[in-house]
Amino acid sequence: MNVLIVDDEISSIQAVSNGIGWDRLGIEHVYTAANVQEAIRQFDGSPIDILLSDIEMPMGSGLELLQWTNKHYPNVKCVFMTCHAEFHLLQEAMRLGSVDYILKPLDFSKVELVLKETMEKIRTERMLKDNSSSWIQNKNTVVKQFWKDFFLGEISPNKDSLTNYFRQKRLDVNLEGLYVPILIVTKKWTENVSKEDQKLLQYGLRNITEELFVIPETESEVISFSDTSILVMLQMDGHSEGYDLNRQIEKCCRQVIDAAKIYIKEIVCCYIGVNDAIYEMPSVIESLQEMDFNNVIHEPNVYFLHQDQNNKEGYAYSDNRIGQWREWLKQGRYAEVREKIEDQLTPQGQKFNINRVFLRRFTSDFYYLIFGFTADRNIFVNELFAHEQSNRLLEKASESLDGLLQWVNHAMDMMQNFDQVNANRDNPVERTKQFIRMHLSDELSMEQIANNVYLNPDYLTRIFKKQVGVSISKYMINKKMEAAKDLLMQTDKSIGEVAMLVGYYNYSSFNRIFTKETGMSPQEFKKQQQKQYDR
């Protein structure tokens, strides 16, 4: 058996945890929580048999926790710990079904005695479950566990395996009936919500689904399927098939969608499977998960599997005319490029058929536009996009249409801003920087660089250092190393080839300078990047 200790004083939790001989009692796991909300999260993630809780706590009382436990986990037994033997509190605790209460400071021998008696009551109730109301209450938990085991592959989808499982669990499940799975998935949150709060809100979504998903002549099981999804298993019992059933399921789904948006700030989508035998449910649900994976339009909606199968290809991808857009960017025609991209990503009547394949292809093509832009201006890509925001937006570009649009608009803003800032670059220092970037593979002398801008080498050196902050030679090394790192990360070229491409025809010199500038050898750098890519 397992025990959950709830007390707002950490020292009290530690005292109880260390003062009780749990192994001697036969307790397998001891969980702890410092308030009611933490306790609720423990219940959702761990099997609890006995609740050992303080009554008076600042963030919700033990009595409130017991009320919640009675509703959601009625078979859990509760023992209260309290500093005050106030009659009204004890009376309320007993009314709510607390097994016993213990006064603080605790007598651990008394606590162990109460726990032994509580464990004996649990064992007795379990022995009588076949003929008691507790079995009826436990049945829902057992059925939910069956569906989880079934979809995790722990039970083979054949008649013999299922029959044996139901016989062992004393479940009366119709193997010949028809089932319809409905997958309800949270696609995004309308407000900023912490990871911990998301778990609680998902619990709220499950409760909403249980309350609203009621269809005559059917039985439904609502299961927490993952951190972001709820699964409804609908068993038909003489219910007419076809349009009428689908209409009622869709109505329930839309009620869940509306309630989720209003009450728990979630945008959810519902995916409705096809009627089939229980043996086919794992493959049907796998198809629903594939639908959700390809749904990159994070807007509330209801989708039917049979319609998705008829529309498998989705929106036809077409070439993005990258070459033309590149020329327009040279001409400063940013508004026209943005307009064409908007047309490409939100085509009239086709928006909801855009899938991940489309996003991946568009993202790849758009990156060629960025490379073209930087090549035309003799700069490196990381000069524009080597910061956290760009990387974060790029990661999300292949997950949703909203994510792709955010990244594209960010990239367009960066490119347009670069052109605006650098509209007047015709000065000696800027021309020198451009000349160096265009000749990274050459071994340039100071005289060659100065002759390019028609200045004395010493004078150019002084004004360059004053304006840029580093010497010309240091600037050349920096740019060569940046190019080398790009080539090592983005290409399969050997280190010797990379060295020559950035102007080092002596491998030892390249290796020495690269190691000095980056803190690692070219070989170590390449291995490190490969490990990050593999992850």
Side-chain angles (χ1 to χ4, degrees):
M1 293 188 187
N2 302 322
V3 172
L4 171 61
I5 304 171
V6 185
D7 199 310
D8 61 304
E9 295 183 6
I10 303 301
S11 59
S12 296
I13 292 178
Q14 292 174 342
V16 177
S17 298
N18 297 328
I20 302 296
W22 302 107
D23 292 339
R24 185 168 59 252
L25 289 171
I27 298 297
E28 297 179 15
H29 299 287
V30 177
Y31 303 98
T32 63
N35 55 57
V36 172
Q37 295 305 316
E38 283 186 18
I40 290 174
R41 288 194 287 270
Q42 287 282 23
F43 271 103
D44 284 343
S46 309
I48 307 297
D49 301 291
I50 299 173
L51 172 64
L52 187 59
S53 175
D54 191 13
I55 292 183
E56 295 180 311
M57 294 181 288
M59 297 176 64
S61 71
L63 295 177
E64 292 171 334
L65 176 58
L66 180 55
Q67 285 179 320
W68 181 89
T69 306
N70 286 343
K71 180 178 179 181
H72 300 286
Y73 297 91
N75 296 315
V76 171
K77 300 299 180 185
C78 178
V79 177
F80 277 130
M81 304 176 290
T82 179
C83 295
H84 310 288
E86 297 185 19
F87 177 74
H88 74 280
L89 287 177
L90 302 179
Q91 187 180 43
E92 180 68 9
M94 301 310 291
R95 187 187 69 79
L96 289 170
S98 173
V99 173
D100 209 336
Y101 66 90
I102 309 169
L103 288 175
K104 293 182 179 180
L106 299 177
D107 179 343
F108 292 128
S109 61
K110 170 65 174 173
V111 176
E112 290 190 13
L113 180 60
V114 171
L115 288 174
K116 283 181 181 178
E117 293 172 352
T118 304
M119 292 170 69
E120 188 59 33
K121 289 180 181 180
I122 293 173
R123 293 189 187 99
T124 301
E125 288 186 6
R126 288 178 179 176
M127 287 177 63
L128 298 173
K129 68 180 181 180
D130 288 339
N131 299 312
S132 67
S133 60
S134 64
W135 166 238
I136 297 173
Q137 293 168 343
N138 283 332
K139 181 180 177 181
N140 290 335
T141 302
V142 176
V143 171
K144 285 179 171 59
Q145 189 60 48
F146 156 70
W147 287 115
K148 287 184 178 180
D149 292 343
F150 190 40
F151 298 132
L152 288 172
E154 296 181 9
I155 306 170
S156 299
N158 60 66
K159 187 171 185 178
D160 289 341
S161 296
L162 291 171
T163 301
N164 290 334
Y165 184 94
F166 295 147
R167 184 183 298 117
Q168 292 173 5
K169 300 294 184 180
R170 297 182 177 90
L171 291 177
D172 182 19
V173 177
N174 183 9
L175 290 176
E176 306 305 325
L178 290 177
Y179 294 82
V180 180
I182 301 99
L183 189 63
I184 302 174
V185 182
T186 298
K187 301 301 288 185
K188 64 181 179 182
W189 306 86
T190 59
E191 296 180 0
N192 290 328
V193 181
S194 69
K195 290 292 185 181
E196 291 302 316
D197 287 340
Q198 285 179 18
K199 293 179 181 178
L200 288 176
L201 292 175
Q202 283 300 104
Y203 179 80
L205 177 61
R206 190 182 73 187
N207 288 345
I208 288 172
T209 304
E210 286 181 338
E211 182 178 342
L212 296 178
F213 233 96
V214 179
I215 298 176
E217 300 181 31
T218 66
E219 293 184 9
S220 62
E221 292 293 339
V222 179
I223 306 154
S224 294
F225 196 61
S226 72
D227 290 342
T228 58
S229 64
I230 304 293
L231 179 65
V232 180
M233 288 305 306
L234 201 64
Q235 179 182 355
M236 289 171 285
D237 184 15
H239 195 286
S240 60
E241 300 180 31
Y243 172 78
D244 184 57
L245 177 62
N246 286 338
R247 181 178 58 81
Q248 292 189 59
I249 295 175
E250 181 175 5
K251 179 181 177 182
C252 291
C253 286
R254 295 203 180 277
Q255 289 175 336
V256 171
I257 287 171
D258 293 342
K261 188 174 183 179
I262 294 170
Y263 298 113
I264 53 180
K265 312 305 179 185
E266 292 186 31
I267 299 299
V268 304
C269 289
C270 297
Y271 306 91
I272 301 172
V274 293
N275 308 342
D276 216 328
I278 191 172
Y279 315 108
E280 302 301 327
M281 286 300 101
S283 62
V284 175
I285 291 173
E286 186 176 341
S287 297
L288 296 181
Q289 290 177 297
E290 183 180 357
M291 284 179 65
D292 176 60
F293 178 78
N294 280 311
N295 177 14
V296 296
I297 313 297
H298 292 181
E299 297 178 10
N301 207 355
V302 179
Y303 302 90
F304 287 88
L305 181 59
H306 66 86
Q307 293 176 347
D308 181 72
Q309 291 171 339
N310 294 334
N311 236 342
K312 202 68 175 177
E313 294 301 320
Y315 179 62
Y317 180 82
S318 60
D319 292 336
N320 291 308
R321 296 182 293 178
I322 296 298
Q324 184 183 52
W325 294 353
R326 180 176 176 178
E327 290 301 317
W328 287 359
L329 291 183
K330 287 181 182 179
Q331 300 164 24
R333 297 163 62 182
Y334 282 90
E336 293 173 72
V337 175
R338 289 178 186 267
E339 182 180 352
K340 291 299 182 182
I341 291 174
E342 186 74 19
D343 291 343
Q344 185 82 17
L345 295 182
T346 55
Q348 185 67 29
Q350 293 289 345
K351 179 179 178 181
F352 285 92
N353 289 326
I354 292 178
N355 57 23
R356 283 190 184 243
V357 173
F358 179 96
L359 295 191
R360 188 167 60 249
R361 291 179 178 176
F362 188 95
T363 302
S364 176
D365 280 358
F366 190 80
Y367 219 80
Y368 280 112
L369 179 65
I370 293 174
F371 274 116
F373 175 91
T374 56
D376 293 336
R377 288 150 183 80
N378 296 301
I379 60 175
F380 295 109
V381 172
N382 63 0
E383 291 186 52
L384 284 180
F385 300 103
H387 46 76
E388 184 64 27
Q389 184 185 14
S390 294
N391 293 333
R392 187 171 62 251
L393 290 174
L394 178 57
E395 287 177 2
K396 294 184 177 297
S398 60
E399 296 178 3
S400 70
L401 182 58
D402 285 345
L404 177 59
L405 285 168
Q406 289 178 23
W407 180 66
V408 167
N409 284 325
H410 169 76
M412 292 294 294
D413 288 343
M414 296 295 290
M415 291 187 288
Q416 188 169 5
N417 182 65
F418 179 88
D419 275 353
Q420 290 172 349
V421 170
N422 295 278
N424 298 311
R425 296 175 48 161
D426 193 21
N427 65 70
V429 172
E430 288 301 327
R431 295 204 324 264
T432 298
K433 290 162 68 175
Q434 182 178 359
F435 181 76
I436 290 171
R437 288 194 292 265
M438 292 177 64
H439 295 83
L440 287 179
S441 60
D442 300 331
E443 293 183 337
L444 296 175
S445 66
M446 188 56 64
E447 287 72 22
Q448 288 175 298
I449 296 172
N451 289 340
N452 179 67
V453 292
Y454 309 103
L455 289 176
N456 176 277
D458 292 335
Y459 175 73
L460 176 61
T461 299
R462 288 196 301 274
I463 63 172
F464 190 96
K465 178 70 178 290
K466 182 177 180 180
Q467 185 170 328
V468 180
V470 296
S471 66
I472 293 176
S473 60
K474 178 61 175 174
Y475 181 85
M476 280 196 294
I477 290 174
N478 290 344
K479 292 305 171 184
K480 286 175 182 287
M481 293 303 105
E482 288 175 7
K485 287 190 286 187
D486 278 347
L487 290 167
L488 289 171
M489 287 189 294
Q490 304 292 341
T491 72
D492 293 325
K493 295 184 182 300
S494 68
I495 294 174
E497 291 175 317
V498 170
M500 287 190 289
L501 286 171
V502 295
Y504 290 93
Y505 295 93
N506 184 310
Y507 179 84
S508 297
S509 297
F510 172 72
N511 188 73
R512 175 174 51 79
I513 294 173
F514 188 95
T515 302
K516 179 181 177 181
E517 294 298 319
T518 67
M520 63 184 76
S521 68
Q523 294 91 338
E524 291 171 338
F525 178 85
K526 194 164 188 175
K527 287 180 181 178
Q528 182 188 73
Q529 296 302 314
Q530 186 61 46
K531 286 181 181 178
Q532 293 178 354
Y533 176 80
D534 291 340
R535 285 202 295 266

